[in-house]
Amino acid sequence: MNLEIDRNRLLSEIEALASFSEAEPPVVTRIVFTPADLKARAWMKARCEEAGLTVRYDAIGNTFARWSGSNPSAPVVGTGSHIDAIPNAGKYDGVVGVLGGLEAIRALQRSGFRPKHSIALLIFTAEEPTRFGIGCLGSRLLSGTLSPDAARKLTDKTGATLDQIRTRAGFGGKLEAVKLPSSYYKAFAELHIEQGPLLECDHIPLGIVTKIAAPASLRVLIEGSGGHAGGVLMPDRHDALCAASELILAIESAARTSGAIDTVATVGICEVFPGAVNSIPSQVRLSVDIRDTDLNRRDAVMQALETAARAISAKRQVSIHTELLNADAPGDCAPIVSDALSQSCVKHGLTFRSMVSRAYHDSLFIGRIAPVAMLFIPCRNGYSHRPDEYAAPDDIVRGTLVLAETLAALAA
Ligand SMILES: [Zn+2]
């Protein structure tokens, strides 16, 4: 089998997909079910059909593009990623796995390879949490990690429900039908940029992910009492922002002292009400994101947050209410897939390292119903989720080549 990646076509397709954006180039903003996302989906469908793939959508808009194998009833070998992008993002997050996956399939077709198991490209809906506040919406439903009832309660910031928005975007049908049986996939491999600096620092072109860190996110509402910044004296204050500050530092300290470098915690949103220079903050909303490769350590930070919240609430006489949005277990990658990836690297004389994914991906959830692994390529300075995100053409082509070889091995 002579595998050749069509480098120019792949790179020009990455540029073309980046043009579907709500922001001016080089910025990519592509929120799920907006006109830019729908145009990008239509363009992707046309590319998949050009390649002879059969395209279908499920009720949430997850897109399956299938190259039928000689045994069409055998479990599918899957690859894919997402094409939605957070505001002010770049061209490569998710896209490399989607267009690289498509090019891997085309390279296999050109080589004369005929799969026994069908090979299918999967474009996940809403990997990014921008619109509905929850990441990996499509893969959570595919894997049954999120129930259709819980999904129906999701709204965007205008108050429109998921059902209203998806129907308007042209995706009807029952959410109950989205979940895949655990026999559906033989294996699933996702190609992705690293979104961290390790491969670049070590000059290693490829990373094979063995474990995906466990994410948890919470919303915290702190209510104190407001008042005039001149009139209320310090002993009488119940300043919600001062309480929030203590809580933020307690969360940082819990992560720093967990005993492992893998523990990370971030307060990324702090909304202060009423937000006036001469008014004592009466209300603060925080978002908290905690991740670890070890579930117990991650949960210990969540416990520390609750303990600190109780203490701060008592000391400052403010109310602190925490709401858990999600707390997912870490995912272990499957040897059947990671071995196929490493053998493909060896076959093409490429060095690789095993690594942990600290960002979470759709593969974390597909891993609940299928053997998965991920293949990382370097990205410049580890930058991602920003317009200057960049992956070098050679790295994209290498990743696509190894992915193609891996899909062939798994689908033979
Ligand atoms: Zn991504």
Side-chain angles (χ1 to χ4, degrees):
M1 185 172 61
N2 183 26
L3 277 175
E4 272 179 42
I5 303 303
D6 188 338
R7 174 190 179 104
N8 291 339
R9 180 172 179 177
L10 175 55
L11 297 176
S12 73
E13 285 178 340
I14 290 172
E15 294 303 316
L17 192 52
S19 72
F20 302 105
S21 169
E22 292 145 54
E24 288 298 311
V27 179
V28 178
T29 298
R30 198 160 47 231
I31 315 294
V32 68
F33 298 147
T34 57
D37 177 56
L38 296 178
K39 278 185 208 148
R41 286 166 176 269
W43 183 88
M44 274 307 313
K45 178 170 188 265
R47 300 290 79 71
C48 291
E49 286 174 347
E50 261 171 24
L53 309 182
T54 310
V55 177
R56 77 169 174 94
Y57 299 107
D58 67 16
I60 192 69
N62 290 312
T63 307
F64 296 78
R66 184 183 179 108
W67 180 22
S68 279
S70 61
N71 182 359
S73 56
V76 172
V77 172
T79 188
S81 194
H82 62 100
I83 59 168
D84 64 323
I86 64 163
N88 207 40
K91 293 175 194 164
Y92 302 92
D93 174 11
V95 166
V96 165
V98 170
L99 288 172
L102 175 59
E103 176 55 24
I105 291 173
R106 290 188 303 226
L108 288 170
Q109 292 172 334
R110 288 192 298 268
S111 76
F113 173 79
R114 291 292 169 262
K116 182 173 142 215
H117 295 258
S118 299
I119 298 179
L121 178 71
L122 174 48
I123 308 171
F124 294 100
T125 286
E127 195 266 350
E128 303 291 1
T130 315
R131 186 151 192 182
F132 296 107
I134 183 168
C136 297
L137 178 58
S139 54
R140 283 179 193 272
L141 282 164
L142 285 170
S143 60
T145 314
L146 180 73
S147 72
D149 279 341
R152 275 188 283 269
K153 292 194 184 107
L154 296 172
T155 55
D156 72 359
K157 66 171 189 254
T158 70
T161 66
L162 175 64
D163 275 344
Q164 289 167 336
I165 294 165
R166 73 183 173 96
T167 312
R168 237 182 274 146
F171 303 105
K174 286 201 158 151
L175 289 179
E176 277 73 6
V178 172
K179 187 181 181 313
L180 295 173
S182 56
S183 56
Y184 184 83
Y185 278 118
K186 180 188 177 197
F188 189 92
E190 181 174 2
L191 171 66
H192 207 281
I193 59 168
E194 183 198 343
Q195 303 182 291
L198 301 179
L199 292 173
E200 186 184 54
C201 286
D202 294 350
H203 304 287
I204 295 176
L206 295 156
I208 296 174
V209 175
T210 52
K211 203 169 183 113
I212 303 174
S217 54
L218 302 95
R219 258 197 296 251
V220 180
L221 174 64
I222 302 172
E223 288 178 295
S225 51
H228 194 286
V232 183
L233 297 178
M234 299 313 281
D236 302 323
R237 293 200 181 191
H238 305 285
D239 184 321
L241 183 57
C242 292
S245 311
E246 280 199 52
L247 187 61
I248 292 168
L249 292 175
I251 295 166
E252 182 197 38
S253 163
R256 274 181 182 273
T257 57
S258 78
I261 194 78
D262 288 331
T263 317
V264 290
T266 307
V267 176
I269 298 177
C270 175
E271 290 171 353
V272 180
F273 182 84
V277 288
N278 56 356
S279 179
I280 299 163
S282 60
Q283 211 181 72
V284 172
R285 282 176 198 279
L286 303 177
S287 72
V288 187
D289 178 303
I290 307 169
R291 305 178 191 213
D292 204 315
T293 50
D294 180 275
L295 192 60
N296 292 331
R297 269 198 319 256
R298 199 275 315 274
D299 288 350
V301 176
M302 294 167 69
Q303 280 294 323
L305 184 161
E306 295 294 342
T307 307
R310 277 194 297 275
I312 295 163
S313 163
K315 185 174 89 177
R316 293 183 168 271
Q317 295 294 298
V318 297
S319 88
I320 304 183
H321 177 251
T322 58
E323 182 194 354
L324 184 65
L325 300 179
N326 66 281
D328 299 295
D332 284 315
C333 292
I336 176 187
V337 192
S338 51
D339 289 351
L341 286 166
S342 55
Q343 281 156 17
S344 302
C345 291
V346 171
K347 192 164 173 182
H348 290 276
L350 298 167
T351 50
F352 63 93
R353 61 172 280 184
S354 295
M355 59 195 302
V356 163
S357 174
R358 287 161 208 287
Y360 69 94
H361 299 277
D362 292 303
S363 285
L364 175 64
F365 300 100
I366 293 303
R368 314 278 196 238
I369 53 160
V372 300
M374 295 187 72
L375 180 64
F376 277 176
I377 59 168
C379 55
R380 189 170 62 196
N381 300 325
Y383 291 167
S384 184
H385 284 189
R386 43 190 280 179
D388 54 355
E389 178 182 271
Y390 177 77
D394 284 349
D395 289 321
I396 295 171
V397 168
R398 267 191 288 266
T400 303
L401 176 67
V402 169
L403 179 65
E405 188 74 51
T406 302
L407 296 177
L410 291 166

